[in-house]
Every structure is written in structure tokens, then in C-alpha cells.
Amino acid sequence: MITEATVRSATITAWMTENSVAVRGQRDRLTQLDAAIGDGDHGINMVRGFDAVEQALAGQGGDPLPGQLLITCGKTLVATVGGASGPLWGSALRAAGRSLGDAAEIDAARLAGAVDAALAAIKDLGAAVVGDKTIVDALEPAAAALRDAAGTGQPLSRSVAAAAAAAEEGARATVPLQARKGRASYLGARSVGHQDPGATSTALIMRALERAVSRED
Ligand code: ADP
Ligand code: MG
């Protein structure tokens, strides 16, 4: 019998390392995107946040469950990132962690539930909907793709790859949009023609999850 890959505590730690590497590698691009329609700090914010997350996880003793780890990550982002993305991703990870309860092994359906919870938290806090040119434009299609793929019985990494592809497509689709939430909305029509930085980093975060999960397959 083939054992289905699951997300475990080690996967969450690996995901956060991958996030840190990914946002550091794309820091200048994220900052340039934010310089075009915001205040040019998104790359710096994400790097600072995930660096702090890595440190917080390294300092955690005991044998924390995946949900507990995600709650720690979320609290760390809220505490260390000054920009809008900190509280938004912070509450998203906390909500994802809470949705996992005390599960030690997370299958595709449960992971899809956690991403749904993350999306719901971001929408609750930021009141954005798809089309507003925000994180939601990448995360909502990713959550939907993961939910759809979770029911098909394919390897978990394939399901997460589908979610990451949907996030990338959602991020690209923000280019022609006019921002209706966040700092970019102050620009009105001048926000058109630029990819949203937060949607862009969201796609990086979903690709990072795919890499972390691939190790389990
Ligand atoms: P700030 O805008 O405070 O400088 P960042 O530059 O780190 O913060 O993040 C900007 C990103 O935050 C935007 O590109 C957008 O994707 C996201 N964002 C801003 N407001 C919202 C909101 N209300 N809901 C969802 N995402 C948002
Ligand atoms: Mg900014």
C-alpha cells in the first residue's frame, strides 16, 4: 500500500524556510512592484517577517503540532511586519493553525480547509474581494484549486502545485485591474497596468508550500 503524503510539523517548518528563501530571492522585484503602486516596502516587509518566523520556529522547544507552529508564525508576522501584509498574513496563518486543531498529520482535504480559513481571515480583516487587486486575487483561486484537487486522490504535491499555478494566474490577472483596497487604491486609475505586490508574494508563498510538500511525496 502506498502511504499518502501528509503535511506534518516538519513540513510547516520547511515551508517557512522556503518562504524565507523565496521572498529574499524576489525582494527587489516585490519592492519594485510596490514602488509602482504603493510605498516600495513590500519586499522588505516580507523578508523581515519570514526571517523573524524562522527565528521564532528555531527557538521553539518541545514537539509542537502543525497548528501550533502556524499560530506562532502568524503571531510573529503580526508582531514584526509594519505594513498591511503583516497583519493580513499573520491572521491568515493563525486562522489556518486554529483550523488544524491538534491534528499531527494533515491530508489534502484538511489542508484545503486550512487555506480556506486563511482566506476567510484575510477577507474578514481587509474586506477585499476578488478584483480589488490584493492578496485575495491570488489566494482565492488557489484555495478553490486546492479544494477541487483535494477530492481527486492525486498526490498532495500535485494538488498544491495546482493551487500555486492558480495563485500565479490570479497575480498576473491583477495587472489590468484598478486597486480598490490598500495603499494602491489611493492612486485610482494610475494603479492600472501594474501587478499587485501582495498577490505576487502570495503566489511565491503557494509555490514554497508546493516545494515543502513535495519532500513528503
Ligand atoms: P503597505 O501597503 O502597508 O505598505 P505592504 O506593502 O507590505 O503593506 O503590502 C501591500 C499589499 O498588501 C498589497 O499589494 C495588497 O496585495 C495587500 N493588501 C493591502 N490591503 C489589503 C486588503 N484590504 N486586503 C487584502 N490585501 C491587501
Ligand atoms: Mg508597501
Side-chain angles (χ1 to χ4, degrees):
M1 197 188 113
I2 299 166
T3 310
E4 274 298 316
T6 55
V7 165
R8 296 169 296 120
S9 292
T11 324
I12 302 296
T13 307
W15 180 29
M16 294 304 148
T17 305
E18 293 286 355
N19 281 332
S20 201
V21 170
V23 296
R24 210 174 303 123
Q26 294 292 308
R27 186 188 61 189
D28 293 350
R29 175 160 183 255
L30 295 174
T31 289
Q32 280 159 15
L33 291 174
D34 197 35
I37 59 169
D39 58 354
D41 65 354
H42 188 59
I44 295 157
N45 286 342
M46 297 305 276
V47 169
R48 180 186 298 132
F50 283 111
D51 276 353
V53 162
E54 272 196 289
Q55 276 173 33
L57 293 186
Q60 263 215 337
D63 197 6
L65 291 162
Q68 292 170 324
L69 286 177
L70 284 172
I71 290 169
T72 298
C73 297
K75 285 182 179 167
T76 305
L77 287 181
V78 172
T80 55
V81 180
S85 53
L88 288 165
W89 266 109
S91 41
L93 294 184
R94 279 194 318 218
R98 279 197 303 272
S99 86
L100 296 179
D102 51 13
E105 304 234 352
I106 296 121
D107 63 8
R110 195 111 200 223
L111 184 63
V115 176
D116 280 341
L119 172 66
I122 285 178
K123 292 176 85 168
D124 271 1
L125 185 60
V129 295
V130 166
D132 285 349
K133 201 175 180 107
T134 72
I135 293 168
V136 173
D137 286 276
L139 194 57
E140 185 151 311
L146 187 57
R147 224 179 302 120
D148 288 350
T152 63
Q154 59 185 319
L156 186 56
S157 65
R158 287 261 298 277
S159 300
V160 180
E168 284 166 356
E169 202 183 315
R172 281 193 298 273
T174 62
V175 173
L177 299 176
Q178 178 170 331
R180 284 193 292 252
K181 284 284 184 294
R183 226 176 259 285
S185 66
Y186 308 155
L187 290 182
R190 279 182 294 138
S191 63
V192 171
H194 303 277
Q195 187 163 313
D196 178 61
T200 307
S201 59
T202 299
L204 295 178
I205 289 168
M206 294 310 295
R207 275 294 171 211
L209 180 60
E210 182 199 347
R211 284 193 294 280
V213 168
S214 295
R215 299 182 194 169
E216 309 291 327
D217 279 348

